[in-house]
Amino acid sequence: MAEALGGGARRVWHDASLSAVVAGAVAVVVSFAGPLTIVVQAAHAGGLGEARLSSWIWAIAVGSGVTGLVLSLRHRVPVVAAWSTPGAALLVTQLDEMPYATAVGAYLAAAALTVLVGVTGWFDALMRRIPAAVVSAVLAGILLRFGLEAFRAIEDAPAVAGVMLAGYVVLQRVAPRYAIAVPLVAAVAVAAGTGTLSLGGVHLALATPLFTVPAWPGEALVSLTLPLFLVTMSAQNAPGVGALREAGYEVPSGPLVRDTGVASAVFAPFGAHALNLGAITAAICAGPDAHEDRDRRYVAGLSCGALYIVVGLFGTTVAGLFAALPPALISAAAGVALLGALGGSLSGAFAEPRDRTPVLVAFLTTASGLTLAGLGAAFWGLVLGTLCGAVLRQTKQKTNSTEEAVRRE
């Protein structure tokens, strides 16, 4: 065992490169520059307080780091784990409607479903069977409010929000990889210059993980568990596997998804809503910029995982930094971080004209914020969009059958 570990360490040392380490660091910056702002918004919406937010940051960062390290070493592939950004966006509208312990129960239930589809090999089959356009529409409905809030922030802080939005547009053309991180740094500098940035309460401190005993009320579990599971599967794990395969890695999707589900279950009581495979960050670590030799790019996954853990250990400091930012900057950063996902989900939802009606039903139901029978809008968007699609398909099949019978007569 010791010899195996020693041999593994020597191989990592031999395969390590500055470019791979930097790629891992860039992936961490991208993760924290935008997606973490959605977690902060969700924590504020649920009134969780700084201690709970600190534990949440610890759980998703350390959980992602440990998962990425283990999977990258095991498969010798730059596997990047992350937290579910659309899942956090969903929580912005859910945490103010249910006790936090119930949300933790939903996290665990969603993790159990993730493990199930990973162990059984149902992951690919499930993604084929769920109406992709309806899932995309629900995701777009969840993300719409963030895009709107990014532009509304211009009214409250035109300089800060304007720099964030303008920087994103410009860098999308010249340096897309930095289209979130650089504008965020610029917006923070503007906030500091205008006196709206308050760093007085920021101090260096280790995070204290807080364990929450989960609660299991049925309505809330259905309202949150199913949408959280589906958006994480479709918007995070599926693209995450795709990013690795696009880079030339034939990875086993089932075991990877299973392991992220196990990690989610372990860290859920401490606040991790969902851990999953990274997509954009995986593309950074699995691309040629990490290393020209594909077999040595796994070091980028190790670098990313290790840095995640370091940042997560100082979750209290990270929470303090975000608390020091003006609300308009948080809104603008969150919206900008999700613009790409919003555009992609809208494109996927409305790609086929024949799906337009069920897609609109799913999108508008989710975006409306509807709560019915204790179940949230994302759940009803999935249900109503799927039912609408089934009814229209059945009607079309009957019409085609009738027309065929008339032609035969």
Side-chain angles (χ1 to χ4, degrees):
M1 180 69 176
E3 290 181 4
L5 289 174
R10 285 194 295 272
R11 178 177 173 181
V12 171
W13 181 258
H14 174 267
D15 291 343
S17 64
L18 178 61
S19 60
V21 173
V22 170
V26 170
V28 172
V29 171
V30 169
S31 294
F32 280 90
L36 193 64
T37 58
I38 296 100
V39 171
V40 173
Q41 282 193 322
H44 291 166
L48 299 187
E50 188 172 332
R52 288 281 182 203
L53 175 57
S54 173
S55 180
W56 191 347
I57 293 172
W58 176 90
I60 57 177
V62 174
S64 296
V66 171
T67 305
L69 275 172
V70 171
L71 294 180
S72 294
L73 276 174
R74 179 185 299 165
H75 298 282
R76 300 293 173 175
V77 167
V79 179
V80 176
W83 54 92
S84 175
T85 301
L90 175 65
L91 290 171
V92 173
T93 62
Q94 293 280 332
L95 282 182
D96 63 340
E97 299 175 356
M98 67 178 65
Y100 180 65
T102 302
V104 171
Y107 301 167
L108 285 169
L113 288 175
T114 302
V115 173
L116 178 64
V117 298
V119 169
T120 58
W122 293 346
F123 173 68
D124 293 324
L126 180 65
M127 289 298 100
R128 288 194 297 268
R129 289 184 177 274
I130 296 172
V134 170
V135 175
S136 294
V138 170
L139 179 57
I142 293 170
L143 301 181
L144 177 63
R145 63 171 290 171
F146 294 93
L148 296 175
E149 289 296 329
F151 287 90
R152 289 183 186 137
I154 297 175
E155 183 178 348
D156 297 326
V160 170
V163 164
M164 190 79 212
L165 290 163
Y168 174 80
V169 171
V170 171
L171 285 167
Q172 275 292 319
R173 179 173 178 81
V174 299
R177 180 181 295 182
Y178 307 102
I180 298 172
V182 172
L184 178 59
V185 171
V188 170
V190 171
T194 56
T196 56
L197 180 68
S198 176
L199 297 175
V202 179
H203 58 281
L204 190 64
L206 292 172
T208 301
L210 301 178
F211 186 90
T212 299
V213 178
W216 310 98
E219 287 183 354
L221 284 179
V222 174
S223 179
L224 179 56
T225 297
L226 187 59
L228 178 61
F229 167 72
L230 287 176
V231 298
T232 300
M233 286 293 107
S234 61
Q236 298 274 189
N237 280 327
V241 172
L244 290 173
R245 290 177 176 172
E246 183 69 22
Y249 298 103
E250 293 301 322
V251 291
S253 60
L256 290 180
V257 170
R258 174 202 65 201
D259 292 343
T260 62
V262 171
S264 293
V266 170
F267 287 92
F270 301 99
H273 57 290
L275 301 177
N276 48 252
L277 299 173
I280 296 174
T281 46
I284 293 172
C285 292
D289 288 344
H291 200 281
E292 59 184 12
D293 184 352
R294 184 183 293 112
D295 293 335
R296 295 174 64 178
R297 295 175 194 167
Y298 74 93
V299 176
L302 301 181
S303 168
C304 180
L307 289 171
Y308 266 144
I309 293 172
V310 171
V311 175
L313 291 175
F314 292 92
T316 299
T317 303
V318 175
L321 284 171
F322 277 90
L325 300 177
L329 195 156
I330 294 290
S331 295
V336 164
L338 292 171
L339 282 179
L342 176 58
S345 59
L346 285 171
S347 176
F350 292 98
E352 293 291 340
R354 67 175 181 269
D355 295 328
R356 190 162 296 161
T357 298
V359 160
L360 278 172
V361 169
F363 173 66
L364 293 175
T365 301
T366 306
S368 71
L370 168 71
T371 298
L372 188 63
L375 302 176
F379 172 81
W380 288 116
L382 286 168
V383 170
L384 296 180
T386 301
L387 286 176
C388 180
V391 168
L392 290 175
R393 281 194 300 273
Q394 188 175 20
T395 302
K396 185 175 181 180
Q397 288 172 358
K398 287 182 178 179
T399 301
N400 291 342
S401 299
T402 302
E403 291 175 350
E404 180 65 23
V406 170
R407 282 197 296 269
R408 288 178 180 177
E409 292 177 358

